[in-house]
Amino acid sequence: PAARKYTGMVEDCCCDYETVDAINEEVLHPILQELVKLPFFRYFKVKLWCDCPFWPDDGMCKLRDCSVCECPENEFPEPFRKPYNGLSPDSMMCQEGKPQAAVDKTLDSKVFKGWVETDNPWTSDDETDNNEMTYVNLQLNPERYTGYTGDSARRIWDAIYKENCPKYPSEELCHEKKALYKLISGLHSSISVHIAYDYLLDESTNSWGQNLPLLYDRVLKYPERVQNLYFTYLFVLRAVTKAANYLEQAEYNTGNPEDDLKTESLVKQLLYNSKLRSACPLPFDEAKLWQGENGPELKQEIQKQFRNISAIMDCVGCEKCRLWGKLQVHGLGTALKILFSVDGDSHMNQPLQLQRNEVIALFNLLNRLSESVKFVHEKGSSIEEVIEEQ
Ligand code: FAD
């Protein structure tokens, strides 16, 4: 096997590259691959037809593969159609005030009280706007090459990086802004990895396969992009393990007891896996953030920037890219909510409450990152050796 290129700790995280690859390949990847195929995690509620709030839509999409196939009414699970029966958001406000900047690393043990429709301060979509939402079967709409490129795609990435998380001029940027940049860059790497993993190699014969030069040119050539992918993976993994009590108690009901038992069992296997817990007990240490005296203001500022990124997803000019862009940003917003769920305005620590769709986005995002980490690990050093030899 080729020499390992990335060694030591993943920057700003608490696990090393070797451990991440081992737990990903032995534990997380196999569980997540099964989990996302089950009905609970397969259907994502999304508003796909939405006006871009920033500029007129000039989306150019070359392939038919850009369009998303939506689910007919009778396909998605019955319980997803019913209104929520959880408590109203008001009755769940925690009355006990805590300084906003302090990050509590534990979560209440009796945590799941039914799915709710509470707004996430980190994201822009209004989940209660059910009329415009459709369910999409993610298994039928894989994230892969779509032909979406050129000025339209470039403008989205530029807007995200320039307006919301400019690349940090080394020491100048605080940890928190650097973390936001790295999360976005890691997600961008993951999107590029998926394009390279499932690429249209020959349009005339409709043959699909791996495009390794593209993987190298867009991701592997830039060590920072690989590092940021691992960072984002560990960040999201930390959110999932931090919310373990909540996620363990959550209802994964789709009306099919056999599938639902399997979902519950796989979720538990993932959350309480002994290998994961001993090898990488704290994938990311969120308590290190927001410690400065301007922590609360900084959090509001970054929350606003992330909400903007979430709104920019409405401007992605290719439907399938928009679906996966929205899902993954939603998943990141959910991770941010779990890790920093103190409400920006109320100066209160709120008990964690998640929407069903947030949990669906979170696990699907983790699965996508896990696939990217695996592919990068498998192909990383060997491609580089081939390219260096040429
Ligand atoms: P881009 O990927 O567009 O990158 C633009 C610039 O950003 C680069 O020149 C570089 O300076 C910088 N950059 C690139 N990667 C990183 C990184 N990891 N970290 C920091 N900076 C970076 N296309 C598909 O085929 N399928 C999809 O599913 C898909 N989903 C998309 C989802 C979203 C939200 C967006 C905005 C675009 C999506 N695209 C998708 C388009 C795709 O991401 C590229 O924009 C397109 O393939 C053109 O690539 P490019 O080589 O011009 O570089």
Side-chain angles (χ1 to χ4, degrees):
R4 162 173 278 283
K5 177 151 186 202
Y6 296 92
T7 54
M9 282 289 171
V10 177
E11 198 198 12
D12 299 327
C13 291
C14 315
C15 287
D16 58 61
Y17 284 96
E18 290 87 336
T19 305
V20 177
D21 290 328
I23 55 167
N24 185 44
E25 278 155 50
E26 288 164 36
V27 180
L28 293 165
H29 186 266
I31 297 177
L32 286 162
Q33 291 284 301
E34 259 195 271
L35 204 53
V36 296
K37 292 193 182 81
L38 288 161
F40 183 88
F41 287 105
R42 195 160 71 206
Y43 298 99
F44 180 62
K45 190 170 79 166
V46 64
K47 190 159 51 163
L48 283 174
W49 293 110
C50 17
D51 292 329
C52 167
F54 303 107
W55 53 77
D57 179 16
D58 64 351
M60 297 282 287
C61 183
K62 280 205 307 195
L63 299 180
R64 235 185 52 220
D65 295 80
C66 280
S67 62
V68 166
C69 128
E70 289 165 16
C71 294
E73 262 281 312
N74 58 359
E75 190 191 318
F76 59 86
E78 174 72 30
F80 285 24
R81 270 175 256 174
K82 291 187 193 136
Y84 287 91
N85 55 4
L87 302 173
S88 76
D90 284 353
S91 66
M92 289 179 305
M93 291 286 280
C94 178
Q95 300 305 314
E96 207 180 309
K98 276 195 177 173
Q100 192 194 22
V103 175
D104 184 355
K105 286 187 170 190
T106 56
L107 292 170
D108 188 350
S109 59
K110 276 181 277 154
V111 282
F112 184 78
K113 299 178 176 84
W115 296 116
V116 290
E117 282 188 345
T118 42
D119 262 347
N120 180 349
W122 296 88
T123 51
S124 73
D125 260 351
D126 180 6
E127 289 284 326
T128 52
D129 203 356
N130 276 318
N131 285 338
E132 296 186 45
M133 298 278 202
T134 43
Y135 277 94
V136 170
N137 181 339
L138 298 171
Q139 291 297 306
L140 298 180
N141 298 284
E143 185 190 26
R144 59 172 169 177
Y145 173 74
T146 61
Y148 179 50
T149 181
D151 289 348
S152 172
R154 181 58 67 100
R155 181 160 63 176
I156 307 282
W157 288 120
D158 282 355
I160 291 173
Y161 287 117
K162 290 208 184 95
E163 292 171 29
N164 297 290
C165 52
K167 188 170 169 353
Y168 45 97
S170 53
E171 294 83 49
E172 230 176 80
L173 209 65
C174 59
H175 283 319
E176 292 77 5
K177 290 193 175 175
K178 194 172 154 193
L180 178 65
Y181 169 77
K182 291 173 70 151
L183 284 178
I184 295 299
S185 167
L187 175 61
H188 192 169
S189 300
S190 182
I191 291 174
S192 304
V193 171
H194 279 91
I195 296 172
Y197 183 77
D198 203 355
Y199 196 83
L200 182 58
L201 299 171
D202 185 345
E203 214 162 328
S204 62
T205 55
N206 195 31
S207 79
W208 290 77
Q210 298 178 357
N211 182 338
L212 297 182
L214 192 142
L215 178 69
Y216 181 77
D217 285 342
R218 295 209 190 167
V219 182
L220 299 179
K221 203 161 75 179
Y222 305 91
E224 185 205 84
R225 296 185 189 174
V226 174
Q227 286 156 8
N228 294 341
L229 170 67
Y230 277 74
F231 174 86
T232 306
Y233 179 57
L234 288 177
F235 186 93
V236 176
L237 179 60
R238 168 60 187 148
V240 168
T241 54
K242 182 175 181 181
N245 281 340
Y246 185 90
L247 294 170
E248 183 198 355
Q249 291 167 34
E251 275 167 21
Y252 298 96
N253 178 17
T254 62
N256 177 332
E258 206 180 309
D259 283 338
D260 298 345
L261 275 175
K262 200 163 172 203
T263 309
E264 279 166 29
S265 151
L266 284 168
V267 168
K268 277 188 200 142
Q269 280 177 47
L270 191 152
L271 297 173
Y272 298 112
N273 183 278
S274 55
K275 182 156 191 161
L276 168 65
R277 296 226 151 200
S278 61
C280 185
L282 187 67
F284 172 82
D285 188 0
E286 71 280 3
K288 290 202 176 128
L289 298 189
W290 324 110
Q291 291 300 314
E293 56 187 51
N294 62 346
E297 295 79 47
L298 189 62
K299 186 181 285 177
Q300 283 201 348
E301 189 193 329
I302 292 183
Q303 215 166 57
K304 193 165 153 238
Q305 289 174 329
F306 194 82
R307 263 202 310 273
N308 265 342
I309 293 173
S310 158
I312 289 175
M313 289 302 117
D314 282 339
C315 303
V316 173
C318 138
E319 211 186 17
K320 203 180 275 178
C321 311
R322 194 181 315 143
L323 164 67
W324 283 101
K326 281 191 159 215
L327 180 143
Q328 295 183 91
V329 168
H330 207 61
L332 274 185
T334 308
L336 286 160
K337 173 170 156 182
I338 293 170
L339 296 181
F340 314 118
S341 59
V342 186
D343 186 305
D345 301 316
S346 69
H347 294 254
M348 298 254 184
N349 219 355
Q350 296 185 321
L352 179 69
Q353 293 294 330
L354 296 175
Q355 299 168 18
R356 177 166 42 208
N357 217 34
E358 288 179 324
V359 172
I360 294 168
L362 184 68
F363 278 88
N364 273 286
L365 168 65
L366 188 62
N367 180 51
R368 293 273 123 183
L369 294 166
S370 152
E371 289 173 346
S372 297
V373 164
K374 183 165 184 283
F375 194 47
V376 162
H377 177 225
E378 279 168 7
K379 299 291 171 197
S381 333
S382 53
I383 300 182
E384 287 178 29
E385 282 183 1
V386 170
I387 288 176
E388 274 158 22
E389 274 168 21
Q390 284 171 356

